[in-house]
Amino acid sequence: MESQKGKIDLQRLPRHIAIIMDGNGRWAQEQGQDRLFGHFHGVESVRNIVEGCAELEIGYLTLYAFSTENWDRPAYEVTGLMELLVETIRKEVETLNKNNIRLHVIGDMSMLPEYARTELNEALELTAKNGGMHLIMALSYSSRWELAEAIKRIARDARDSKLDPDTITQDTLQQYLSTRDFPDPELMIRTSGEYRISNFLLYQLAYAELYFTNVRWPDFRKENLYEAILDFQGRERRFGKTSAQIQQDVTTTPGTKTLEVFCPKDGH
Ligand code: IPE
Ligand code: IPE
Ligand code: MG
């Protein structure tokens, strides 16, 4: 089949793509294999998609790898996943550096075993100078955890007189999130046919375009990514405005025109 890549408008790429990499366990079980087999194969998809995004020069890619709720899975699966994670990071640092990709991690690092934390910190340091794509791994992450943390720190700063509560705006809140250095995702992809957010970037996805596919994560490849991007490019993002406003690319103050139509100057 012909690649969809050529159809992508490179001027209108999402600046930030976020992916819920779901379906590893079912992918494995459907083949009579252990769930860990699915996670193992999911790593190949991660490589492929990171490469695909870097080739397109996507600015930011966030991958949901492990949620705070995933800690409640059977110990065997959790341990297997942690080991796979550490091993993958160790192996991939070289490729990340070669491709100028900078690694970031968001999530509750205090939950991670010591060896995983050490390995991660090393990888963060080793890629810190890279100026190409930002690869953000959401690890031991959940949005409600992140929001509770942000609120805790805001309250502390207010208590310590470092922050005046009356001056708090949306920008202030943004500064307290673990995603403070990244723009909001414009496209969110979830694989495996589940239609939910599962505690992922609840605040940051406010205006993201959501794309769901039945493809299980271990089967997800660049072509699937291109399809998602093409779908994104076919949508009209209105941000609360009307379609007509978006098409005219209205630059005047919102509402001015409406007032003139309904309240003509002669006083009717
Ligand atoms: C996603 O695949 C990876 C993680 C959550 C770590 P799952 O392990 O959730 O696979 P399914 O959804 O059970 O098939
Ligand atoms: C979401 O997948 C978390 C990750 C992909 C890391 P889950 O498989 O944990 O989500 P639910 O439980 O189906 O909502
Ligand atoms: Mg799942």
Side-chain angles (χ1 to χ4, degrees):
M1 210 183 78
E2 192 201 339
S3 173
Q4 299 284 87
K5 193 178 180 185
K7 296 187 188 150
I8 295 174
D9 178 353
L10 298 176
Q11 304 307 313
R12 291 176 53 242
L13 286 170
R15 206 175 156 209
H16 183 172
I17 299 178
I19 308 181
I20 302 179
M21 310 185 287
D22 197 17
N24 294 352
R26 278 164 288 161
W27 183 87
Q29 285 167 329
E30 280 154 11
Q31 307 172 51
Q33 301 277 358
D34 188 90
R35 293 177 57 85
L36 283 179
F37 181 73
H39 297 314
F40 183 76
H41 279 270
V43 174
E44 193 47 45
S45 304
V46 172
R47 272 195 210 106
N48 190 272
I49 295 311
V50 169
E51 189 181 279
C53 286
E55 283 166 357
L56 285 171
E57 297 182 24
I58 299 291
Y60 302 81
L61 172 66
T62 298
L63 298 177
Y64 201 7
F66 196 87
S67 73
T68 53
E69 288 80 12
N70 289 147
W71 288 114
D72 295 331
R73 290 193 179 189
Y76 157 79
E77 183 170 341
V78 170
T79 312
L81 266 166
M82 281 304 130
E83 281 168 9
L84 183 63
L85 176 89
V86 170
E87 192 191 303
T88 305
I89 287 171
R90 190 180 298 139
K91 279 196 203 148
E92 294 303 312
V93 165
E94 204 184 315
T95 316
L96 293 180
N97 281 337
K98 210 160 60 199
N99 295 311
N100 203 18
I101 298 169
R102 178 168 178 188
L103 183 70
H104 305 264
V105 182
I106 55 172
D108 186 358
M109 291 302 109
S110 71
M111 301 275 287
L112 289 176
E114 184 64 37
Y115 75 96
R117 225 174 11 231
T118 311
E119 197 69 39
L120 268 173
N121 283 333
E122 220 167 277
L124 294 179
E125 231 169 82
L126 288 169
T127 64
K129 292 201 175 71
N130 296 339
M133 188 172 79
H134 295 271
L135 172 62
I136 303 135
M137 297 298 289
L139 242 187
S140 186
Y141 172 87
S142 81
S143 205
R144 289 182 174 183
W145 164 82
E146 176 185 44
L147 290 169
E149 283 302 305
I151 291 162
K152 211 188 297 174
R153 283 190 292 116
I154 288 173
R156 276 196 207 123
D157 283 353
R159 179 195 62 196
D160 300 343
S161 305
K162 288 183 196 151
L163 179 68
D164 174 2
D166 292 331
T167 65
I168 293 175
T169 62
Q170 294 181 22
D171 289 337
T172 320
L173 178 52
Q174 152 76 11
Q175 284 310 308
Y176 283 83
L177 297 174
S178 49
T179 52
R180 72 187 70 84
D181 298 327
F182 321 126
D184 286 345
E186 294 187 285
L187 169 62
M188 196 288 287
I189 300 170
R190 182 171 190 152
T191 60
S192 92
E194 305 297 350
Y195 301 89
R196 52 178 174 265
I197 304 290
S198 301
N199 221 344
F200 186 46
L201 303 173
L202 299 179
Y203 183 83
Q204 297 88 337
L205 292 177
Y207 267 107
E209 294 299 326
L210 309 181
Y211 179 87
F212 299 95
T213 169
N214 288 331
V215 176
R216 310 275 198 232
W217 179 250
D219 285 331
F220 196 85
R221 289 292 181 274
K222 287 179 195 177
E223 278 309 315
N224 306 99
L225 171 76
Y226 301 152
E227 253 171 60
I229 293 175
L230 283 170
D231 193 279
F232 168 85
Q233 293 189 332
R235 299 188 192 186
E236 182 179 66
R237 307 187 71 206
R238 291 193 284 278
F239 301 97
K241 294 184 183 175
T242 68
S243 186
Q245 281 178 301
I246 299 301
Q247 274 157 35
Q248 286 166 24
D249 192 23
V250 175
T251 48
T252 51
T253 320
T256 317
K257 221 173 178 178
T258 323
L259 270 177
E260 272 169 27
V261 172
F262 291 103
C263 312
K265 292 205 175 68
D266 61 2
H268 290 288

